[in-house]
Short mmCIF file of all heavy atoms in Angstrom, two decimals:
data_model
loop_
_atom_site.label_atom_id
_atom_site.label_comp_id
_atom_site.label_asym_id
_atom_site.label_seq_id
_atom_site.Cartn_x
_atom_site.Cartn_y
_atom_site.Cartn_z
N ALA A 23 0.83 -1.21 0.00
CA ALA A 23 0.00 0.00 0.00
C ALA A 23 0.86 1.26 0.00
O ALA A 23 2.05 1.23 0.33
CB ALA A 23 -0.92 0.00 1.21
N THR A 24 0.25 2.37 -0.36
CA THR A 24 0.93 3.66 -0.31
C THR A 24 0.89 4.19 1.12
O THR A 24 0.04 3.78 1.92
CB THR A 24 0.24 4.67 -1.23
OG1 THR A 24 -1.08 4.96 -0.71
CG2 THR A 24 0.13 4.13 -2.66
N PRO A 25 1.79 5.13 1.45
CA PRO A 25 1.75 5.73 2.79
C PRO A 25 0.38 6.32 3.13
O PRO A 25 -0.08 6.22 4.27
CB PRO A 25 2.84 6.79 2.73
CG PRO A 25 3.82 6.26 1.73
CD PRO A 25 2.97 5.58 0.69
N HIS A 26 -0.27 6.92 2.13
CA HIS A 26 -1.60 7.51 2.38
C HIS A 26 -2.61 6.42 2.72
O HIS A 26 -3.43 6.59 3.65
CB HIS A 26 -2.07 8.28 1.14
CG HIS A 26 -3.46 8.82 1.29
ND1 HIS A 26 -3.77 9.87 2.14
CD2 HIS A 26 -4.64 8.44 0.70
CE1 HIS A 26 -5.07 10.11 2.06
NE2 HIS A 26 -5.62 9.26 1.20
N GLN A 27 -2.58 5.32 1.98
CA GLN A 27 -3.49 4.21 2.28
C GLN A 27 -3.24 3.65 3.67
O GLN A 27 -4.18 3.40 4.44
CB GLN A 27 -3.32 3.09 1.25
CG GLN A 27 -3.90 3.38 -0.12
CD GLN A 27 -3.60 2.27 -1.11
OE1 GLN A 27 -2.43 1.91 -1.30
NE2 GLN A 27 -4.62 1.72 -1.73
N ILE A 28 -1.98 3.47 4.02
CA ILE A 28 -1.65 2.90 5.33
C ILE A 28 -2.10 3.82 6.45
O ILE A 28 -2.57 3.35 7.50
CB ILE A 28 -0.13 2.63 5.44
CG1 ILE A 28 0.33 1.67 4.35
CG2 ILE A 28 0.21 2.03 6.81
CD1 ILE A 28 1.83 1.44 4.32
N SER A 29 -2.03 5.13 6.23
CA SER A 29 -2.43 6.09 7.27
C SER A 29 -3.92 6.01 7.56
O SER A 29 -4.38 6.47 8.61
CB SER A 29 -2.05 7.51 6.86
OG SER A 29 -2.84 7.94 5.76
N ASN A 30 -4.70 5.41 6.65
CA ASN A 30 -6.13 5.21 6.87
C ASN A 30 -6.45 3.80 7.35
O ASN A 30 -7.61 3.50 7.64
CB ASN A 30 -6.90 5.46 5.56
CG ASN A 30 -6.86 6.89 5.10
OD1 ASN A 30 -6.88 7.81 5.92
ND2 ASN A 30 -6.76 7.11 3.80
N SER A 31 -5.45 2.96 7.45
CA SER A 31 -5.66 1.53 7.69
C SER A 31 -5.44 1.15 9.15
O SER A 31 -4.93 1.95 9.95
CB SER A 31 -4.74 0.71 6.77
OG SER A 31 -5.04 0.99 5.41
N LEU A 32 -5.81 -0.08 9.48
CA LEU A 32 -5.72 -0.52 10.87
C LEU A 32 -5.48 -2.01 10.93
O LEU A 32 -5.66 -2.74 9.95
CB LEU A 32 -7.02 -0.19 11.61
CG LEU A 32 -8.30 -0.85 11.06
CD1 LEU A 32 -9.15 -1.41 12.20
CD2 LEU A 32 -9.12 0.19 10.28
N SER A 33 -5.11 -2.47 12.10
CA SER A 33 -5.06 -3.91 12.35
C SER A 33 -6.16 -4.23 13.33
O SER A 33 -6.44 -3.44 14.24
CB SER A 33 -3.70 -4.32 12.93
OG SER A 33 -3.50 -3.76 14.21
N TYR A 34 -6.81 -5.38 13.13
CA TYR A 34 -7.81 -5.83 14.10
C TYR A 34 -7.37 -7.16 14.68
O TYR A 34 -7.32 -8.17 13.96
CB TYR A 34 -9.22 -5.96 13.52
CG TYR A 34 -10.15 -6.41 14.62
CD1 TYR A 34 -10.64 -5.49 15.53
CD2 TYR A 34 -10.41 -7.76 14.83
CE1 TYR A 34 -11.39 -5.90 16.61
CE2 TYR A 34 -11.16 -8.18 15.91
CZ TYR A 34 -11.65 -7.23 16.80
OH TYR A 34 -12.37 -7.64 17.90
N ALA A 35 -7.05 -7.16 15.96
CA ALA A 35 -6.67 -8.39 16.69
C ALA A 35 -5.59 -9.17 15.96
O ALA A 35 -5.59 -10.40 15.96
CB ALA A 35 -7.90 -9.27 16.94
N ALA A 36 -4.66 -8.46 15.34
CA ALA A 36 -3.55 -9.14 14.66
C ALA A 36 -2.74 -9.92 15.69
O ALA A 36 -2.47 -9.43 16.78
CB ALA A 36 -2.67 -8.11 13.95
N SER A 37 -2.34 -11.13 15.32
CA SER A 37 -1.67 -12.00 16.28
C SER A 37 -0.24 -12.32 15.87
O SER A 37 0.03 -12.64 14.71
CB SER A 37 -2.46 -13.30 16.43
OG SER A 37 -1.77 -14.22 17.27
N PHE A 38 0.67 -12.24 16.84
CA PHE A 38 2.04 -12.69 16.65
C PHE A 38 2.14 -14.19 16.90
O PHE A 38 3.15 -14.81 16.57
CB PHE A 38 2.99 -11.95 17.59
CG PHE A 38 3.10 -10.47 17.30
CD1 PHE A 38 2.36 -9.55 18.04
CD2 PHE A 38 3.93 -10.01 16.30
CE1 PHE A 38 2.47 -8.19 17.78
CE2 PHE A 38 4.04 -8.65 16.03
CZ PHE A 38 3.31 -7.74 16.78
N GLY A 39 1.13 -14.75 17.54
CA GLY A 39 1.07 -16.19 17.78
C GLY A 39 1.93 -16.69 18.92
O GLY A 39 1.79 -17.81 19.37
N ALA A 40 2.85 -15.86 19.39
CA ALA A 40 3.77 -16.26 20.46
C ALA A 40 4.10 -15.05 21.32
O ALA A 40 3.66 -13.93 21.03
CB ALA A 40 5.03 -16.87 19.86
N ASP A 41 4.88 -15.27 22.35
CA ASP A 41 5.21 -14.19 23.28
C ASP A 41 6.29 -13.26 22.74
O ASP A 41 6.52 -12.19 23.30
CB ASP A 41 5.70 -14.76 24.62
CG ASP A 41 4.58 -15.44 25.38
OD1 ASP A 41 3.45 -14.97 25.30
OD2 ASP A 41 4.85 -16.46 26.04
N GLU A 42 6.98 -13.69 21.68
CA GLU A 42 8.09 -12.89 21.16
C GLU A 42 7.97 -12.73 19.65
O GLU A 42 7.39 -13.56 18.95
CB GLU A 42 9.43 -13.57 21.51
CG GLU A 42 9.71 -13.67 23.00
CD GLU A 42 11.03 -14.36 23.29
OE1 GLU A 42 11.64 -14.89 22.33
OE2 GLU A 42 11.45 -14.39 24.46
N TRP A 43 8.54 -11.65 19.14
CA TRP A 43 8.62 -11.38 17.71
C TRP A 43 9.70 -12.26 17.11
O TRP A 43 10.81 -12.35 17.65
CB TRP A 43 8.92 -9.90 17.49
CG TRP A 43 9.36 -9.49 16.12
CD1 TRP A 43 10.60 -9.08 15.74
CD2 TRP A 43 8.55 -9.42 14.93
NE1 TRP A 43 10.64 -8.75 14.41
CE2 TRP A 43 9.38 -8.95 13.88
CE3 TRP A 43 7.22 -9.71 14.64
CZ2 TRP A 43 8.92 -8.77 12.58
CZ3 TRP A 43 6.76 -9.52 13.35
CH2 TRP A 43 7.60 -9.05 12.34
N ASP A 44 9.40 -12.91 15.99
CA ASP A 44 10.36 -13.84 15.40
C ASP A 44 10.92 -13.34 14.07
O ASP A 44 11.38 -14.13 13.24
CB ASP A 44 9.72 -15.22 15.20
CG ASP A 44 8.49 -15.18 14.28
OD1 ASP A 44 7.96 -14.09 14.04
OD2 ASP A 44 8.07 -16.25 13.81
N GLY A 45 10.93 -12.03 13.88
CA GLY A 45 11.42 -11.47 12.63
C GLY A 45 12.92 -11.25 12.60
O GLY A 45 13.57 -11.09 13.63
N ARG A 46 13.47 -11.23 11.38
CA ARG A 46 14.87 -10.91 11.19
C ARG A 46 15.06 -9.40 11.32
O ARG A 46 14.09 -8.63 11.31
CB ARG A 46 15.32 -11.39 9.81
CG ARG A 46 15.04 -12.88 9.56
CD ARG A 46 15.52 -13.29 8.17
NE ARG A 46 15.18 -14.68 7.87
CZ ARG A 46 14.34 -15.05 6.91
NH1 ARG A 46 13.75 -14.13 6.14
NH2 ARG A 46 14.07 -16.33 6.70
N ILE A 47 16.32 -8.96 11.41
CA ILE A 47 16.60 -7.54 11.64
C ILE A 47 16.01 -6.68 10.53
O ILE A 47 15.34 -5.67 10.79
CB ILE A 47 18.13 -7.30 11.74
CG1 ILE A 47 18.68 -7.98 12.99
CG2 ILE A 47 18.44 -5.80 11.77
CD1 ILE A 47 20.19 -7.88 13.14
N GLU A 48 16.25 -7.07 9.27
CA GLU A 48 15.75 -6.27 8.16
C GLU A 48 14.22 -6.25 8.12
O GLU A 48 13.61 -5.23 7.78
CB GLU A 48 16.32 -6.76 6.82
CG GLU A 48 15.97 -8.18 6.43
CD GLU A 48 16.88 -9.24 7.02
OE1 GLU A 48 17.64 -8.92 7.96
OE2 GLU A 48 16.83 -10.40 6.53
N GLU A 49 13.60 -7.38 8.47
CA GLU A 49 12.14 -7.43 8.53
C GLU A 49 11.62 -6.53 9.64
O GLU A 49 10.64 -5.80 9.45
CB GLU A 49 11.67 -8.87 8.79
CG GLU A 49 11.87 -9.82 7.63
CD GLU A 49 11.57 -11.26 8.01
OE1 GLU A 49 11.77 -11.62 9.18
OE2 GLU A 49 11.16 -12.02 7.11
N THR A 50 12.29 -6.56 10.77
CA THR A 50 11.86 -5.76 11.92
C THR A 50 11.89 -4.27 11.60
O THR A 50 10.94 -3.55 11.91
CB THR A 50 12.78 -6.04 13.13
OG1 THR A 50 12.75 -7.44 13.43
CG2 THR A 50 12.32 -5.25 14.34
N MET A 51 12.93 -3.82 10.96
CA MET A 51 13.06 -2.40 10.63
C MET A 51 11.96 -1.95 9.67
O MET A 51 11.35 -0.90 9.86
CB MET A 51 14.45 -2.14 10.04
CG MET A 51 15.59 -2.32 11.01
SD MET A 51 17.22 -2.09 10.23
CE MET A 51 17.13 -0.37 9.75
N GLU A 52 11.71 -2.76 8.64
CA GLU A 52 10.69 -2.39 7.67
C GLU A 52 9.29 -2.50 8.25
O GLU A 52 8.43 -1.61 8.02
CB GLU A 52 10.81 -3.27 6.42
CG GLU A 52 9.79 -2.98 5.33
CD GLU A 52 9.88 -1.57 4.75
OE1 GLU A 52 10.81 -0.81 5.11
OE2 GLU A 52 9.00 -1.22 3.94
N CYS A 53 9.02 -3.52 9.03
CA CYS A 53 7.70 -3.68 9.64
C CYS A 53 7.42 -2.55 10.64
O CYS A 53 6.29 -2.06 10.73
CB CYS A 53 7.59 -5.04 10.33
SG CYS A 53 7.55 -6.43 9.17
N ALA A 54 8.44 -2.13 11.36
CA ALA A 54 8.28 -1.02 12.30
C ALA A 54 7.95 0.26 11.56
O ALA A 54 7.07 1.03 11.97
CB ALA A 54 9.56 -0.84 13.12
N ARG A 55 8.66 0.50 10.46
CA ARG A 55 8.40 1.71 9.66
C ARG A 55 6.95 1.74 9.17
O ARG A 55 6.27 2.78 9.25
CB ARG A 55 9.35 1.77 8.47
CG ARG A 55 9.22 3.03 7.62
CD ARG A 55 10.04 2.94 6.35
NE ARG A 55 9.48 1.99 5.40
CZ ARG A 55 8.47 2.29 4.57
NH1 ARG A 55 7.90 3.49 4.60
NH2 ARG A 55 8.02 1.37 3.72
N LEU A 56 6.48 0.61 8.68
CA LEU A 56 5.12 0.54 8.16
C LEU A 56 4.08 0.66 9.27
O LEU A 56 3.09 1.39 9.12
CB LEU A 56 4.93 -0.79 7.40
CG LEU A 56 5.74 -0.95 6.11
CD1 LEU A 56 5.71 -2.40 5.65
CD2 LEU A 56 5.21 -0.03 5.03
N LEU A 57 4.30 -0.04 10.37
CA LEU A 57 3.31 -0.06 11.44
C LEU A 57 3.12 1.32 12.06
O LEU A 57 2.01 1.66 12.50
CB LEU A 57 3.72 -1.07 12.52
CG LEU A 57 2.65 -1.42 13.56
CD1 LEU A 57 1.41 -2.00 12.89
CD2 LEU A 57 3.20 -2.39 14.60
N ARG A 58 4.16 2.11 12.08
CA ARG A 58 4.05 3.46 12.64
C ARG A 58 3.16 4.37 11.81
O ARG A 58 2.76 5.44 12.26
CB ARG A 58 5.45 4.08 12.80
CG ARG A 58 6.27 3.44 13.92
CD ARG A 58 7.73 3.81 13.85
NE ARG A 58 8.52 3.05 14.81
CZ ARG A 58 9.83 2.91 14.74
NH1 ARG A 58 10.52 3.48 13.74
NH2 ARG A 58 10.48 2.20 15.66
N LEU A 59 2.85 3.94 10.58
CA LEU A 59 1.97 4.72 9.71
C LEU A 59 0.50 4.37 9.92
O LEU A 59 -0.38 5.11 9.47
CB LEU A 59 2.33 4.49 8.24
CG LEU A 59 3.74 4.89 7.78
CD1 LEU A 59 3.95 4.46 6.33
CD2 LEU A 59 3.94 6.39 7.93
N PHE A 60 0.22 3.25 10.59
CA PHE A 60 -1.16 2.79 10.75
C PHE A 60 -2.01 3.81 11.50
O PHE A 60 -1.53 4.49 12.42
CB PHE A 60 -1.20 1.47 11.51
CG PHE A 60 -0.99 0.24 10.66
CD1 PHE A 60 0.10 0.14 9.79
CD2 PHE A 60 -1.87 -0.83 10.73
CE1 PHE A 60 0.30 -1.00 9.02
CE2 PHE A 60 -1.67 -1.98 9.96
CZ PHE A 60 -0.58 -2.06 9.11
N ASN A 61 -3.27 3.85 11.14
CA ASN A 61 -4.24 4.69 11.83
C ASN A 61 -4.52 4.18 13.24
O ASN A 61 -4.51 4.93 14.21
CB ASN A 61 -5.54 4.72 10.99
CG ASN A 61 -6.67 5.44 11.67
OD1 ASN A 61 -6.47 6.21 12.59
ND2 ASN A 61 -7.88 5.18 11.22
N SER A 62 -4.78 2.87 13.34
CA SER A 62 -5.05 2.23 14.64
C SER A 62 -4.41 0.85 14.64
O SER A 62 -4.41 0.16 13.61
CB SER A 62 -6.55 2.08 14.88
OG SER A 62 -7.20 3.33 14.85
N VAL A 63 -3.93 0.44 15.80
CA VAL A 63 -3.29 -0.88 15.92
C VAL A 63 -3.91 -1.64 17.09
O VAL A 63 -3.91 -1.16 18.23
CB VAL A 63 -1.77 -0.76 16.14
CG1 VAL A 63 -1.14 -2.14 16.31
CG2 VAL A 63 -1.11 -0.01 14.99
N SER A 64 -4.45 -2.81 16.79
CA SER A 64 -4.93 -3.69 17.86
C SER A 64 -4.39 -5.08 17.63
O SER A 64 -4.15 -5.50 16.48
CB SER A 64 -6.47 -3.72 17.92
OG SER A 64 -7.01 -4.45 16.85
N VAL A 65 -4.16 -5.80 18.70
CA VAL A 65 -3.60 -7.15 18.66
C VAL A 65 -4.49 -8.08 19.44
O VAL A 65 -5.34 -7.64 20.24
CB VAL A 65 -2.16 -7.18 19.22
CG1 VAL A 65 -1.21 -6.42 18.31
CG2 VAL A 65 -2.12 -6.59 20.64
N ARG A 66 -4.31 -9.38 19.24
CA ARG A 66 -5.21 -10.35 19.87
C ARG A 66 -4.75 -10.77 21.26
O ARG A 66 -5.58 -11.07 22.14
CB ARG A 66 -5.34 -11.59 18.98
CG ARG A 66 -6.50 -12.48 19.34
CD ARG A 66 -6.69 -13.58 18.32
NE ARG A 66 -5.54 -14.50 18.29
CZ ARG A 66 -5.44 -15.50 17.44
NH1 ARG A 66 -6.37 -15.70 16.53
NH2 ARG A 66 -4.38 -16.30 17.48
N GLU A 67 -3.44 -10.77 21.48
CA GLU A 67 -2.92 -11.22 22.77
C GLU A 67 -2.35 -10.06 23.57
O GLU A 67 -1.85 -9.08 23.01
CB GLU A 67 -1.81 -12.26 22.56
CG GLU A 67 -2.32 -13.61 22.08
CD GLU A 67 -2.58 -13.66 20.58
OE1 GLU A 67 -1.78 -13.11 19.82
OE2 GLU A 67 -3.61 -14.24 20.18
#
């Protein structure tokens, strides 16, 4: 998605499935950048 689209978007009860994040360093950096653009963030656990 574009930054504008992401700024209107949200997560609903998104699940990591475990107690810890299992991403690689490069994945973590990019996912963090994207998630900070979200309108609202909710997780299941």
Side-chain angles (χ1 to χ4, degrees):
T24 67
H26 175 71
Q27 286 176 305
I28 301 175
S29 68
N30 293 324
S31 300
L32 61 136
S33 66
Y34 180 80
S37 175
F38 294 98
D41 291 325
E42 297 179 352
W43 166 250
D44 60 344
R46 306 180 184 115
I47 294 176
E48 62 275 14
E49 290 172 330
T50 303
M51 293 177 64
E52 180 62 6
C53 291
R55 183 188 71 81
L56 293 167
L57 192 59
R58 289 166 188 162
L59 298 175
F60 276 52
N61 174 19
S62 301
V63 178
S64 73
V65 293
R66 195 172 65 183
E67 289 81 41

